[in-house]
């Protein structure tokens, strides 16, 4: 907060806007590491297929690195939330969150679990599996199978256990790279939307998609994965 206040005092608003403009002008010349992009997409296909399958289980979702034994899982970044947090930075950045935000986390004993907003801090795996199968797995499967509008609606409606909104946004970027900008911070999108689009939309997703379309037209870019618009969270 102190940094934000200092920035607003030191840098006048018109200069801030100029900084935003120049940053957006420079991003179109950025290059994407094709090997990293391909690797990330391959890993995402693995996790997407796991989520869709009946084999998707609590270990895929709420494991710890030291507890992963599957070589296939290790090669694809251990477990789903680890992949979304740490290994898909090619599609933007997300800050590691509290494990509670994922609904279920494995405890250090690697035997019991903690459930989001539950006072019982040592739940047996058999009980956790039922909660996962009833409230998390089917929700994620529906989420993956939905179109962009459906995914946005599901995030807005929420899930009683999954509170990791930034990571759900990352799934949207992974699934719909030609429709949204890979930015997760609301404030960054808001300021860019106000500067470029100057519209009256207020929700994150509408601002994001409108801004994406505007920048495509502004810079004469085509909608394709190779020229995907990627912006750094510079604000």
């Amino acid at each position: 907060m102190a940094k934000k206040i200092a920035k607003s005092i030191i840098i006048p608003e018109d200069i801030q806007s100029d900084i935003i403009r120049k940053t957006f002008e420079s991003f179109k010349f950025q290059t994407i590491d094709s090997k990293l992009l391909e690797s990330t997409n391959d890993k995402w296909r693995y996790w997407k297929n796991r989520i869709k399958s009946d084999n998707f289980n609590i270990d895929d979702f709420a494991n710890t690195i030291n507890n992963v034994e599957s070589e296939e899982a290790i090669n694809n970044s251990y477990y789903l939330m680890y992949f979304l947090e740490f290994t898909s930075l090619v599609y933007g950045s997300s800050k590691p969150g509290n494990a509670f935000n994922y609904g279920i986390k494995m405890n250090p004993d690697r035997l019991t679990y903690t459930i989001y907003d539950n006072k019982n801090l040592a739940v047996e795996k058999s009980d956790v599996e039922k909660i996962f199968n009833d409230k998390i797995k089917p929700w994620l499967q529906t989420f993956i199978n939905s179109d962009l509008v459906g995914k946005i609606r599901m995030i807005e409606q929420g899930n009683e256990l999954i509170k990791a909104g930034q990571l759900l946004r990352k799934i949207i970027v992974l699934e719909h790279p030609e429709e949204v900008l890979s930015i997760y911070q609301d404030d960054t999108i808001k300021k860019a939307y106000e500067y470029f689009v100057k519209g009256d939309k207020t929700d994150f997703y509408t601002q994001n998609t409108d801004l994406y379309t505007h920048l495509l037209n502004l810079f004469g870019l085509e909608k394709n994965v190779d020229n995907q618009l990627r912006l750094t969270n510079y604000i």
Side-chain angles (χ1 to χ4, degrees), residues 75-94:
N75 292 336
N76 288 281
S77 299
Y78 301 100
Y79 55 100
L80 176 63
M81 288 305 172
Y82 182 89
F83 163 73
L84 290 174
E85 271 196 349
F86 297 104
T87 63
S88 52
L89 297 181
V90 65
Y91 279 111
S93 63
S94 67

Side-chain angles (χ1 to χ4, degrees), residues 167-178:
L167 299 182
L168 294 176
R169 287 182 183 180
K170 179 162 281 187
I171 290 179
I172 284 182
V173 172
L174 288 163
E175 281 289 280
H176 306 277
E178 300 177 43

Side-chain angles (χ1 to χ4, degrees), residues 38-48 74-77 83 87:
E38 183 179 356
S39 173
T40 300
N41 288 339
D42 286 343
K43 290 176 181 178
W44 171 240
R45 278 191 287 271
Y46 167 82
W47 285 114
K48 178 181 177 180
I74 291 173
N75 292 336
N76 288 281
S77 299
F83 163 73
T87 63

Side-chain angles (χ1 to χ4, degrees), residues 158-192:
N159 175 283
E160 62 182 293
L161 289 178
I162 303 175
K163 307 298 180 181
Q166 298 286 0
L167 299 182
L168 294 176
R169 287 182 183 180
K170 179 162 281 187
I171 290 179
I172 284 182
V173 172
L174 288 163
E175 281 289 280
H176 306 277
E178 300 177 43
E179 298 177 73
V180 295
L181 289 166
S182 56
I183 300 178
Y184 310 114
Q185 275 69 25
D186 294 59
D187 193 49
T188 302
I189 288 291
K190 179 177 181 294
K191 289 188 177 182

Side-chain angles (χ1 to χ4, degrees), residues 2 51 63 67 87 104-105 107 119 135 182 230:
I51 293 171
N63 221 321
N67 205 46
T87 63
I104 296 171
K105 76 164 186 174
N107 290 330
K119 294 181 180 179
K135 297 183 178 181
S182 56
R230 297 174 62 250

Side-chain angles (χ1 to χ4, degrees), residues 190 193-204 206-207 210:
K190 179 177 181 294
Y193 178 82
E194 290 174 350
Y195 182 80
F196 283 98
V197 181
K198 298 179 172 63
D200 58 0
K201 305 295 177 54
T202 57
D203 67 284
F204 172 86
T206 302
Q207 287 186 345
D210 285 0

